[in-house]
Amino acid sequence: MNDTPLLSIQNLKVTFQIYEGVVQAVDDVTLDIGTGETVGLVGESGCGKSVTALSILQLLPRESSRIDGRILFDGRNLVDAGESELRNLRGNAISMIFQEPMTSLNPVLTVGRQIEEAIMLHQGLSLTDARIRAVDMLRLVQIPAPEARAREYPHRLSGGMRQRAMIAMALSCRPRLLLADEPTTALDVTIQAQILELMEDLKEKLGMAILLITHDLGLIAQMASRVIVMYAGQVIEEGLVTDLFHDPLHPYTRGLLGSIPVLGRKFTAGRRQLEEIPGIVPSLFDMPRGCRFNLRCPHVMDVCREKQSPMIQLGPHRRVMCWLKAG
């Protein structure tokens, strides 16, 4: 992996203008992804993971959103990029797998046609050559009878096949960076395992980097080398997977890990089988003063209610935003 990151997000802030006022969905997020690296981005729903990913490709509505900070891809700041440059990047050098393939695929175009369009747009191939490449991509993601499936409409495919078709489309132009937003959501366990194995195999073949966005820490343990934890729009912890899983530093991270079902764990009299994080993620309109986790934290101190902790750097890939580690 090169010393210079393929993607470097620096002090990213995303605000939305909505009917009730202005809300900040992402607050001062900084993260790097190296060439060929898989980085996990985890947190509860509503913590800003998907907004961060959509910001990379500048897919947020321009009329109602504002992006501040820097998003450097191969040294180029995408925040300042023009629409023509972004169109050349989307689906080409940077691709994205969206959460729900049924709503991401065009229902009035065949699966093959949708893949062909991306290939013709970015690779400059003829329709005949693009059609051959599309079938090859469907075969690569292990869809049976790919020639026939290419002529099918999305509603004719199962959930697992639609997700594979989305992956085929995302990878059809051999991207350098893949943004995978909950790539196995709503799939049964067997299909999940097949999709993950496929992504890992294609990553090795294509040498691409992956930003894996999920709330599933089991997925992170299997796929990623490094993990970044978000809460209420902020990055609160980062570490190598082995370090973070064995020694979580932030109380929120410890809560997430404690809520994972463990095979063989038994009920203990008077206690729940799984731990839980009390309360809910704060509203974007009513963020608590100080640390945003202080209303739910079992270790809250007076300083947590008054001031937000600075980000404490503990190593090249180890940082945490928590007063417990400030001393």
Short mmCIF file of all heavy atoms in Angstrom, two decimals, residues 38-76:
data_model
loop_
_atom_site.label_atom_id
_atom_site.label_comp_id
_atom_site.label_asym_id
_atom_site.label_seq_id
_atom_site.Cartn_x
_atom_site.Cartn_y
_atom_site.Cartn_z
N THR A 38 -9.23 -2.23 2.61
CA THR A 38 -10.65 -2.24 2.97
C THR A 38 -10.79 -1.59 4.34
O THR A 38 -10.23 -2.06 5.33
CB THR A 38 -11.21 -3.66 3.03
OG1 THR A 38 -11.11 -4.26 1.74
CG2 THR A 38 -12.69 -3.64 3.43
N VAL A 39 -11.55 -0.51 4.39
CA VAL A 39 -11.79 0.23 5.63
C VAL A 39 -13.27 0.14 5.96
O VAL A 39 -14.13 0.37 5.10
CB VAL A 39 -11.36 1.70 5.50
CG1 VAL A 39 -11.76 2.50 6.75
CG2 VAL A 39 -9.86 1.80 5.27
N GLY A 40 -13.59 -0.22 7.20
CA GLY A 40 -14.97 -0.30 7.64
C GLY A 40 -15.41 1.00 8.28
O GLY A 40 -14.65 1.63 9.04
N LEU A 41 -16.63 1.43 7.98
CA LEU A 41 -17.23 2.62 8.59
C LEU A 41 -18.51 2.15 9.27
O LEU A 41 -19.45 1.70 8.61
CB LEU A 41 -17.53 3.66 7.52
CG LEU A 41 -18.02 5.05 7.99
CD1 LEU A 41 -16.97 5.71 8.88
CD2 LEU A 41 -18.34 5.94 6.80
N VAL A 42 -18.53 2.21 10.61
CA VAL A 42 -19.63 1.61 11.36
C VAL A 42 -20.31 2.64 12.26
O VAL A 42 -19.74 3.68 12.58
CB VAL A 42 -19.15 0.41 12.21
CG1 VAL A 42 -18.50 -0.64 11.35
CG2 VAL A 42 -18.21 0.86 13.32
N GLY A 43 -21.51 2.29 12.70
CA GLY A 43 -22.28 3.13 13.61
C GLY A 43 -23.75 2.84 13.43
O GLY A 43 -24.17 2.18 12.49
N GLU A 44 -24.56 3.35 14.37
CA GLU A 44 -26.01 3.15 14.30
C GLU A 44 -26.60 3.90 13.11
O GLU A 44 -25.97 4.80 12.54
CB GLU A 44 -26.66 3.65 15.60
CG GLU A 44 -26.33 2.83 16.82
CD GLU A 44 -26.86 3.48 18.09
OE1 GLU A 44 -26.16 4.34 18.64
OE2 GLU A 44 -27.96 3.11 18.54
N SER A 45 -27.82 3.56 12.75
CA SER A 45 -28.52 4.28 11.69
C SER A 45 -28.65 5.75 12.06
O SER A 45 -28.94 6.09 13.21
CB SER A 45 -29.92 3.68 11.48
OG SER A 45 -29.83 2.34 11.05
N GLY A 46 -28.40 6.62 11.09
CA GLY A 46 -28.53 8.05 11.32
C GLY A 46 -27.28 8.72 11.83
O GLY A 46 -27.32 9.91 12.18
N CYS A 47 -26.14 7.99 11.83
CA CYS A 47 -24.92 8.61 12.38
C CYS A 47 -24.11 9.34 11.31
O CYS A 47 -23.10 9.96 11.62
CB CYS A 47 -24.06 7.56 13.07
SG CYS A 47 -23.28 6.38 11.96
N GLY A 48 -24.50 9.25 10.04
CA GLY A 48 -23.82 10.00 8.99
C GLY A 48 -22.97 9.18 8.05
O GLY A 48 -22.26 9.73 7.21
N LYS A 49 -23.05 7.85 8.15
CA LYS A 49 -22.21 6.99 7.30
C LYS A 49 -22.54 7.17 5.82
O LYS A 49 -21.65 7.40 4.99
CB LYS A 49 -22.39 5.51 7.69
CG LYS A 49 -22.15 5.19 9.14
CD LYS A 49 -22.20 3.70 9.41
CE LYS A 49 -23.52 3.03 9.04
NZ LYS A 49 -24.67 3.51 9.82
N SER A 50 -23.82 7.02 5.47
CA SER A 50 -24.21 7.10 4.06
C SER A 50 -24.02 8.51 3.49
O SER A 50 -23.63 8.67 2.32
CB SER A 50 -25.67 6.66 3.89
OG SER A 50 -25.82 5.30 4.22
N VAL A 51 -24.27 9.53 4.31
CA VAL A 51 -24.07 10.91 3.85
C VAL A 51 -22.60 11.15 3.53
O VAL A 51 -22.26 11.81 2.54
CB VAL A 51 -24.57 11.91 4.91
CG1 VAL A 51 -24.19 13.34 4.53
CG2 VAL A 51 -26.08 11.81 5.07
N THR A 52 -21.72 10.58 4.34
CA THR A 52 -20.29 10.70 4.08
C THR A 52 -19.95 10.07 2.72
O THR A 52 -19.21 10.66 1.92
CB THR A 52 -19.48 10.01 5.19
OG1 THR A 52 -19.75 10.66 6.44
CG2 THR A 52 -17.99 10.07 4.91
N ALA A 53 -20.48 8.88 2.45
CA ALA A 53 -20.21 8.20 1.19
C ALA A 53 -20.77 8.98 0.00
O ALA A 53 -20.10 9.14 -1.03
CB ALA A 53 -20.78 6.79 1.21
N LEU A 54 -21.99 9.46 0.13
CA LEU A 54 -22.60 10.23 -0.96
C LEU A 54 -21.86 11.54 -1.22
O LEU A 54 -21.82 12.03 -2.35
CB LEU A 54 -24.07 10.51 -0.64
CG LEU A 54 -24.99 9.27 -0.62
CD1 LEU A 54 -26.36 9.63 -0.06
CD2 LEU A 54 -25.14 8.68 -2.02
N SER A 55 -21.24 12.08 -0.17
CA SER A 55 -20.45 13.30 -0.33
C SER A 55 -19.23 13.06 -1.21
O SER A 55 -18.82 13.95 -1.97
CB SER A 55 -20.00 13.82 1.04
OG SER A 55 -21.09 14.13 1.86
N ILE A 56 -18.65 11.87 -1.11
CA ILE A 56 -17.46 11.56 -1.90
C ILE A 56 -17.77 11.70 -3.39
O ILE A 56 -16.99 12.28 -4.15
CB ILE A 56 -16.96 10.14 -1.58
CG1 ILE A 56 -16.49 10.05 -0.13
CG2 ILE A 56 -15.83 9.73 -2.54
CD1 ILE A 56 -16.20 8.64 0.35
N LEU A 57 -18.92 11.19 -3.80
CA LEU A 57 -19.32 11.25 -5.21
C LEU A 57 -20.14 12.50 -5.54
O LEU A 57 -20.62 12.64 -6.65
CB LEU A 57 -20.12 9.99 -5.58
CG LEU A 57 -19.30 8.72 -5.73
CD1 LEU A 57 -20.21 7.51 -5.91
CD2 LEU A 57 -18.34 8.83 -6.90
N GLN A 58 -20.30 13.40 -4.55
CA GLN A 58 -21.08 14.62 -4.75
C GLN A 58 -22.48 14.31 -5.26
O GLN A 58 -22.97 14.91 -6.22
CB GLN A 58 -20.34 15.56 -5.72
CG GLN A 58 -18.92 15.91 -5.30
CD GLN A 58 -18.85 16.83 -4.11
OE1 GLN A 58 -19.21 18.00 -4.19
NE2 GLN A 58 -18.41 16.30 -2.97
N LEU A 59 -23.13 13.34 -4.60
CA LEU A 59 -24.48 12.93 -5.01
C LEU A 59 -25.57 13.52 -4.14
O LEU A 59 -26.74 13.18 -4.30
CB LEU A 59 -24.57 11.39 -4.98
CG LEU A 59 -23.78 10.65 -6.05
CD1 LEU A 59 -23.87 9.14 -5.84
CD2 LEU A 59 -24.27 11.02 -7.45
N LEU A 60 -25.21 14.40 -3.22
CA LEU A 60 -26.21 15.06 -2.38
C LEU A 60 -26.87 16.19 -3.18
O LEU A 60 -26.24 16.79 -4.06
CB LEU A 60 -25.56 15.62 -1.12
CG LEU A 60 -24.92 14.57 -0.19
CD1 LEU A 60 -24.17 15.26 0.94
CD2 LEU A 60 -25.97 13.64 0.38
N PRO A 61 -28.15 16.48 -2.91
CA PRO A 61 -28.82 17.56 -3.65
C PRO A 61 -28.13 18.90 -3.45
O PRO A 61 -28.01 19.38 -2.32
CB PRO A 61 -30.25 17.55 -3.07
CG PRO A 61 -30.12 16.87 -1.74
CD PRO A 61 -29.03 15.88 -1.88
N ARG A 62 -27.69 19.51 -4.52
CA ARG A 62 -26.95 20.77 -4.43
C ARG A 62 -27.82 21.91 -3.90
O ARG A 62 -27.32 22.84 -3.28
CB ARG A 62 -26.38 21.14 -5.80
CG ARG A 62 -25.27 20.19 -6.27
CD ARG A 62 -24.69 20.66 -7.59
NE ARG A 62 -23.63 19.76 -8.07
CZ ARG A 62 -22.35 19.89 -7.74
NH1 ARG A 62 -21.98 20.87 -6.95
NH2 ARG A 62 -21.46 19.05 -8.22
N GLU A 63 -29.13 21.84 -4.17
CA GLU A 63 -30.02 22.94 -3.78
C GLU A 63 -30.20 23.02 -2.26
O GLU A 63 -30.44 24.09 -1.71
CB GLU A 63 -31.39 22.79 -4.43
CG GLU A 63 -31.36 22.70 -5.94
CD GLU A 63 -30.99 21.32 -6.45
OE1 GLU A 63 -31.00 20.37 -5.63
OE2 GLU A 63 -30.65 21.19 -7.64
N SER A 64 -30.10 21.88 -1.57
CA SER A 64 -30.43 21.86 -0.14
C SER A 64 -29.28 21.40 0.74
O SER A 64 -29.47 21.22 1.95
CB SER A 64 -31.64 20.96 0.10
OG SER A 64 -31.39 19.64 -0.36
N SER A 65 -28.10 21.19 0.18
CA SER A 65 -26.98 20.72 1.00
C SER A 65 -25.74 21.57 0.74
O SER A 65 -25.60 22.21 -0.30
CB SER A 65 -26.67 19.25 0.69
OG SER A 65 -26.20 19.10 -0.64
N ARG A 66 -24.87 21.55 1.73
CA ARG A 66 -23.59 22.25 1.59
C ARG A 66 -22.49 21.35 2.13
O ARG A 66 -22.62 20.78 3.22
CB ARG A 66 -23.60 23.57 2.36
CG ARG A 66 -22.24 24.25 2.39
CD ARG A 66 -22.29 25.63 2.99
NE ARG A 66 -20.93 26.17 3.14
CZ ARG A 66 -20.67 27.43 3.45
NH1 ARG A 66 -21.67 28.29 3.63
NH2 ARG A 66 -19.43 27.84 3.58
N ILE A 67 -21.40 21.23 1.36
CA ILE A 67 -20.26 20.40 1.74
C ILE A 67 -19.05 21.31 1.95
O ILE A 67 -18.69 22.08 1.05
CB ILE A 67 -19.94 19.34 0.67
CG1 ILE A 67 -21.13 18.40 0.48
CG2 ILE A 67 -18.69 18.54 1.05
CD1 ILE A 67 -20.95 17.41 -0.65
N ASP A 68 -18.46 21.23 3.14
CA ASP A 68 -17.24 21.96 3.44
C ASP A 68 -16.14 20.96 3.80
O ASP A 68 -16.42 19.86 4.27
CB ASP A 68 -17.46 22.93 4.61
CG ASP A 68 -18.42 24.04 4.26
OD1 ASP A 68 -18.15 24.79 3.31
OD2 ASP A 68 -19.47 24.15 4.92
N GLY A 69 -14.89 21.37 3.62
CA GLY A 69 -13.76 20.48 3.86
C GLY A 69 -13.15 20.05 2.54
O GLY A 69 -13.40 20.64 1.48
N ARG A 70 -12.35 19.00 2.60
CA ARG A 70 -11.67 18.51 1.39
C ARG A 70 -11.90 17.01 1.25
O ARG A 70 -11.86 16.26 2.23
CB ARG A 70 -10.17 18.80 1.47
CG ARG A 70 -9.83 20.24 1.71
CD ARG A 70 -8.32 20.43 1.82
NE ARG A 70 -7.69 20.47 0.50
CZ ARG A 70 -6.40 20.23 0.30
NH1 ARG A 70 -5.62 19.88 1.30
NH2 ARG A 70 -5.89 20.30 -0.92
N ILE A 71 -12.15 16.58 0.00
CA ILE A 71 -12.27 15.17 -0.33
C ILE A 71 -11.28 14.92 -1.47
O ILE A 71 -11.56 15.20 -2.64
CB ILE A 71 -13.70 14.80 -0.76
CG1 ILE A 71 -14.70 15.13 0.35
CG2 ILE A 71 -13.78 13.31 -1.12
CD1 ILE A 71 -16.16 14.95 -0.05
N LEU A 72 -10.10 14.43 -1.11
CA LEU A 72 -9.03 14.26 -2.08
C LEU A 72 -9.03 12.83 -2.60
O LEU A 72 -8.84 11.88 -1.84
CB LEU A 72 -7.67 14.56 -1.44
CG LEU A 72 -7.49 15.96 -0.85
CD1 LEU A 72 -6.12 16.09 -0.20
CD2 LEU A 72 -7.67 17.04 -1.92
N PHE A 73 -9.25 12.69 -3.89
CA PHE A 73 -9.14 11.39 -4.54
C PHE A 73 -7.98 11.44 -5.51
O PHE A 73 -7.99 12.20 -6.47
CB PHE A 73 -10.43 11.03 -5.30
CG PHE A 73 -10.36 9.71 -6.02
CD1 PHE A 73 -10.39 8.52 -5.32
CD2 PHE A 73 -10.22 9.66 -7.40
CE1 PHE A 73 -10.29 7.30 -5.98
CE2 PHE A 73 -10.13 8.46 -8.07
CZ PHE A 73 -10.16 7.27 -7.35
N ASP A 74 -6.95 10.67 -5.19
CA ASP A 74 -5.73 10.67 -6.00
C ASP A 74 -5.17 12.09 -6.11
O ASP A 74 -4.67 12.50 -7.17
CB ASP A 74 -6.02 10.09 -7.39
CG ASP A 74 -4.79 9.41 -7.99
OD1 ASP A 74 -3.83 9.16 -7.25
OD2 ASP A 74 -4.80 9.14 -9.20
N GLY A 75 -5.31 12.86 -5.03
CA GLY A 75 -4.77 14.21 -4.98
C GLY A 75 -5.69 15.30 -5.47
O GLY A 75 -5.40 16.49 -5.28
N ARG A 76 -6.83 14.95 -6.10
CA ARG A 76 -7.76 15.94 -6.65
C ARG A 76 -8.89 16.18 -5.66
O ARG A 76 -9.52 15.23 -5.18
CB ARG A 76 -8.32 15.44 -7.98
CG ARG A 76 -9.39 16.35 -8.60
CD ARG A 76 -8.76 17.62 -9.13
NE ARG A 76 -9.72 18.41 -9.90
CZ ARG A 76 -10.44 19.42 -9.37
NH1 ARG A 76 -10.32 19.75 -8.11
NH2 ARG A 76 -11.28 20.10 -10.15
#
